[in-house]
Amino acid sequence: MPPRMLPEPTPETRHFWDGCRDGELRLQRCTACAESYFPPRPFCPKCGSRDVEVYKASGTGVLWSYVINQRPRPDMGTEPYAIAVVKLAEGPTMMTNIVDCPQTPEALQLDMPLKVAFAKQSDEITLPLFAPAGA
Amino acid sequence: MKPKSVAVVGAAETTKMGKIPDVSVIGLHADAALNAMADAGLKPSDIDGVATAGISPVELAHYLGITPTYADGTSVGGCSFMLHVRHAAAAINAGLATTILITHGESGRSRVGSSGFGRAPSSLMGQFEMPYGVAGPPTMFTIPVLRYLKTYGLKPEDMAPVATIQREWAAKNPRASFKDPLSVDDVMNADMIAWPFTKLMCCLVTDGGGALILTSAERAKDFPQKPVYVLGTGESVETPMVSQMEDFTSSKAFRVSGKKAFETAGIGHADIDHLMIYDAFAHLPLYGLEDLGFCKPGEAAGFIRERNTAPPKDGKGGGRLPLNTNGGGLSYMHSGMYGMYALQESVRQMRGIAPAQVDGAKISVCHGVGGMFAASGTIIFSNDAP
């Protein structure tokens, strides 16, 4: 199996990937208008202010939508897998995979509570996957 | 833009469509361009503006021997050609060029001289979507739909009539890739691609191209074909990542683009005789009908199932809003950036020469999507002279 396709952090996103490596899901919020946002950027996409801060998010959310890919990408193994979007408790949505859960429509119910489950891929990169909150 | 100040005077698709392993991407652009020039009675030296996506307008101009005073390389996915029409109309009005050629060509199936799918791992999509196993549009464009279905109490099978009714239109079109009748069961029992989407809810993958030539309405009268006037236009973009759509049940780019097009055309929904909505997947006509204001949120699936967009069948008349009358991306063809084929069908309907001609159609709306709900363009055409 080829190695999994991994992100290459940029200066603007480094804090997010460093956070995942250190076991923290980090979001940003605007200190002017209080908007939480994702993906990372050094200004608020709502009001344009550069006065923003990084903070540790709760790591919780709900399953917002997904598909189950029946034709796995070669670096993702051989079994069908869900490509999901989680709606974080803080508001933003984020693409992810769901772990510790059968990859079936019956098991994957929209709005089920999820919590972040960090999955180390390399010394630099840990991916923020999500698991059912009760698991 | 002043309505009807600019017209389409040349329109053609590639000589062949479907599987064309002996023509490269740029060759498909050129074949379509030469056909459109023949349609308009023009030579390359008559063209002074070029627009294209997929390849650069520089490649196109040089390959065809055109020396333009206007070049548009807007590339926002499959609706790029709607944006090219819009920009060309503004450019002609502003005197930047008189005769603008817009081309599309794509070796979607045979992959002759074409590039692959993927984004740099440092891009936003590369960092925040690619690591989770997305594998092209069937696994990305489809992601919002479960939220849409849950919000409106619908089921995956409610998307199936989009495919079955468009197949009825395709059956009337000799150039359509698939013409055999389809049932809802056929759609639901087809191979699963990305649950809840079966293969028959996904577009074809074919080779082909198309080209348009636009000029001022004043000059358009002197061309061999019946002019098709640009009545209104709109465009917008939202996000490069489907996971970041503001609302999974509605496309902001669709709403903004559609509203602008209707406003500039100065018409209402009751004035529309014919509609094209880019259908890369079966949910897109649902989002399109609702976001353009033809249906209330959540009502488009029922609207289609009740045959409001269907051709005549079994002695019963056709629906009041004929939609995707070429068979669409689901049954006609889809090379990758389908917007050009939707525009070609609108032009054929306005010329009165479509294989499944809507009798007496005077106004056609052609709505495109780019990327995975990333961008949108809407063109409203009329065949009534100003």
Side-chain angles (χ1 to χ4, degrees), chain A residues 4 13 17 65 73 81 93 111, chain B residues 127 131 133-134 143 150 243:
Chain A
R4 184 163 180 162
T13 65
W17 294 113
S65 207
R73 208 171 63 188
Y81 55 89
T93 53
D111 299 310
Chain B
Q127 290 190 65
V134 295
I143 283 179
K150 179 168 179 173
S243 63

Side-chain angles (χ1 to χ4, degrees), chain A:
Chain A
M1 190 164 86
R4 184 163 180 162
M5 216 177 265
L6 292 180
E8 212 170 80
T10 59
E12 296 87 350
T13 65
R14 173 69 63 186
H15 67 270
F16 179 84
W17 294 113
D18 285 353
C20 289
R21 184 198 57 205
D22 297 343
E24 279 187 7
L25 189 70
R26 292 179 185 160
L27 290 177
Q28 286 172 297
R29 84 185 140 213
C30 178
T31 52
C33 77
E35 174 87 352
S36 278
Y37 63 87
F38 178 84
R41 74 206 84 170
F43 58 90
C44 171
K46 191 175 173 193
C47 76
S49 169
R50 293 173 190 262
D51 197 2
V52 298
E53 62 183 1
V54 174
Y55 71 101
K56 182 185 171 184
S58 65
T60 63
V62 296
L63 179 57
W64 198 240
S65 207
Y66 68 94
V67 292
I68 303 173
N69 185 13
Q70 306 292 316
R71 300 187 299 177
R73 208 171 63 188
D75 61 312
M76 296 291 288
T78 55
E79 293 301 310
Y81 55 89
I83 303 166
V85 172
V86 56
K87 187 165 178 61
L88 298 170
E90 292 81 4
T93 53
M94 181 183 287
M95 191 175 279
T96 190
N97 300 122
I98 309 299
V99 295
D100 301 332
C101 181
Q103 304 290 290
T104 62
E106 295 71 30
L108 294 162
Q109 294 290 331
L110 292 201
D111 299 310
M112 66 193 268
L114 301 171
K115 64 177 185 209
V116 69
F118 291 106
K120 183 176 178 179
Q121 307 292 316
S122 69
D123 286 345
E124 185 188 20
I125 296 298
T126 292
L127 294 175
L129 308 183
F130 281 77

